[in-house]
Amino acid sequence: MATRWRGAAAGVAAVGLVVVPLAAGSGYAGDAPTPGASITSAPATDDAFPRLTPAVAARLDEAVQKVMTQAKVPGVMVSLSAPGKGEYVRTFGVADKATRAPMETDMHMRIGSATKTFTVTALLQLVDEGKVGLDDPIGKYIDGVPNGDRITLRQLAEMRSGLFNYSEDAGFDQALFADPDRVFTPEELLAYSFKHPVMFEPGAKFFYSNTNLILLGLVVEKISGENIADYINHKVVEPAKLTNTLFPKGGEFPEPHAHGYTNQTESGKVEDATDWDPSWAWAAGAMISDLDDLRSWAKTLATGTLLTPATQAERLKVIPVLPGAGYGLGIFNIQGWLGHNGSLPGYESLVMYLPEAQATLVVLLNTDIMAEGEEPSTLFGEAITEIVTPDHVYSLPAHTTAK
């Protein structure tokens, strides 16, 4: 069986749910080079990004609609902007296949592994407060972790722990698909991982694993003394001035929201996954947001507004993991675009910022069904950036790895 390296928070069965950079629960494993230099935001230049004229917008419309047809995406919303260059904000298709209600820009969406950017921000805030250290072993805070005396918080955030991805465990898949409304505890999720042997020594390789973020979520809870939903909502979401973003405490999904469609089901048939309980993804992928908030968050994340400059520099030290792609502390650098993707049953997200042009790109869609082995969100990102930033084309190959 093969798994995808997706942008989800988890990977179920042969697919990923909320990512990586690949499939939500699958992982790419590769030798980890020494972390590279941090990315700094250079002033925008006139030729770094085109003016979003009606002619450019028409090309973007055509490209987005072509991907929708190719990938059979029910609905998608796109926001693209850069200072002085205008804005391109569009919705296409339907939010509900039953009623044919159109996709609207104010709809809430599940964001999958883009959640990781919030969880790691919460951790890094605690680093700034001197309450934790990036090079502390996870065993200092959480008991029972394999290699817990040697795996550091930094290695968890940069996906170099060697811990098995719980969302690739067959028992987890069976439990989730048998009862999508089931509430999982973080401890139950970790148990699916810890019954597998560690895959490599801490720091030796890169392997995208949602297990890492479950552990970091528990660290945030232990050190802050708060439920992680409360902590992220009060300490990250509110200071970032995000009014339609939340870490849900249960199955709540604020209105209006789009329905999400997946084939990650027991039958393999397409089903409506709108109300599946997101607890299985927790700190790796449970959050909800909307287009406007994510436009703002993309810049906040990439420029480090909520962190000290020193800590933000640590976040942006990326480890090359694929040609043109690197991973820092809960953040991707893909051909210069900084941010994260996300995928879980029914939804995908892409939240990116290009420092060179001070440009923001957000794509939200209501399916996670692969299109000939490719993530739909990746296809949208590639088609859009080929037009506006041909020197910085967002491309994230859907590699496979033996499961």
Side-chain angles (χ1 to χ4, degrees):
M1 183 75 77
T3 56
R4 316 200 293 278
W5 184 32
R6 303 176 61 183
V12 170
V15 306
L17 295 184
V18 201
V19 170
V20 158
L22 273 187
S26 55
Y28 164 79
D31 292 337
T34 301
S38 62
I39 305 300
T40 57
S41 181
T45 60
D46 288 342
D47 59 354
F49 197 86
R51 294 190 182 280
L52 296 174
T53 63
V56 172
R59 292 178 62 198
L60 290 169
D61 287 348
E62 182 180 2
V64 172
Q65 290 170 326
K66 182 178 180 180
V67 172
M68 283 190 72
T69 299
Q70 171 189 352
K72 298 181 174 61
V73 173
V76 62
M77 59 182 82
V78 179
S79 175
L80 180 68
S81 62
K85 302 304 178 71
E87 295 184 345
Y88 172 88
V89 181
R90 293 280 200 276
T91 63
F92 301 84
V94 300
D96 186 332
K97 294 200 296 185
T99 67
R100 307 307 295 176
M103 186 72 84
E104 303 285 355
T105 58
D106 65 346
M107 288 180 166
H108 293 84
M109 303 286 278
R110 299 194 187 278
I111 65 172
S113 276
T115 299
K116 291 178 169 69
T117 63
F118 289 88
T119 301
V120 174
T121 295
L123 175 75
L124 295 178
Q125 287 177 323
L126 295 173
V127 170
D128 277 340
E129 294 171 12
K131 295 179 179 178
V132 299
L134 281 172
D135 296 312
D136 291 347
I138 183 61
K140 179 178 178 179
Y141 306 101
I142 308 297
D143 293 332
V145 180
N147 283 345
D149 59 334
R150 294 185 292 131
I151 296 171
T152 66
L153 304 188
R154 183 190 302 275
Q155 289 165 341
L156 291 168
E158 65 190 10
M159 303 293 176
R160 294 198 299 160
S161 71
L163 295 173
F164 185 86
N165 188 353
Y166 72 84
S167 53
E168 293 183 40
D169 176 79
F172 167 78
D173 289 350
Q174 293 168 4
L176 176 62
F177 294 145
D179 183 10
D181 296 327
R182 171 178 171 173
V183 176
F184 289 87
T185 67
E187 291 74 19
E188 287 173 329
L189 300 177
L190 292 178
Y192 286 114
S193 170
F194 294 170
K195 69 181 182 181
H196 296 269
V198 295
M199 298 181 297
F200 50 82
E201 286 295 296
K205 296 174 183 277
F206 173 91
F207 184 85
Y208 192 88
S209 173
N210 293 306
T211 302
N212 298 332
L213 269 291
I214 303 304
L215 288 167
L216 292 182
L218 289 173
V219 171
V220 170
E221 286 197 332
K222 183 167 187 177
I223 299 305
S224 69
E226 294 186 55
N227 174 281
I228 193 169
D230 289 334
Y231 188 86
I232 286 181
N233 290 334
H234 297 155
K235 299 294 187 179
V236 181
V237 171
E238 290 181 12
K241 298 181 172 56
L242 308 179
T243 57
N244 292 300
T245 300
L246 75 152
F247 192 125
K249 290 186 175 180
E252 65 268 29
F253 197 171
E255 294 283 359
H257 61 249
H259 284 246
Y261 302 93
T262 187
N263 60 358
Q264 296 190 58
T265 60
E266 280 192 304
S267 66
K269 296 180 180 178
V270 176
E271 294 182 10
D272 187 327
T274 306
D275 296 319
W276 286 21
D277 192 287
S279 61
W280 68 266
W282 201 55
M287 289 182 67
I288 295 164
S289 190
D290 72 357
L291 194 66
D292 279 348
D293 272 9
L294 292 175
R295 289 174 60 188
S296 176
W297 177 246
K299 182 176 181 180
T300 296
L301 172 67
T303 60
T305 304
L306 301 182
L307 304 174
T308 64
T311 298
Q312 179 68 2
E314 291 298 308
R315 163 181 250 158
L316 297 182
K317 290 180 179 177
V318 300
I319 297 167
V321 296
L322 290 171
Y327 202 77
L329 301 180
I331 191 170
F332 282 108
N333 181 332
I334 300 176
Q335 299 294 347
W337 288 92
L338 304 177
H340 218 289
N341 61 347
S343 176
L344 76 172
Y347 301 89
E348 289 199 341
S349 64
L350 193 61
V351 184
M352 308 300 293
Y353 182 82
L354 182 65
E356 178 179 334
Q358 297 177 27
T360 300
L361 171 62
V362 177
V363 180
L364 299 172
L365 54 148
N366 60 345
T367 186
D368 67 313
I369 298 173
M370 299 281 275
E372 297 181 356
E374 296 290 338
E375 296 289 339
S377 62
T378 297
L379 295 176
F380 283 117
E382 186 171 18
I384 291 166
T385 55
E386 281 179 344
I387 293 171
V388 295
T389 55
D391 292 333
H392 302 279
V393 175
Y394 178 92
S395 181
L396 194 59
H399 287 276
T400 59
T401 182
K403 181 176 179 180

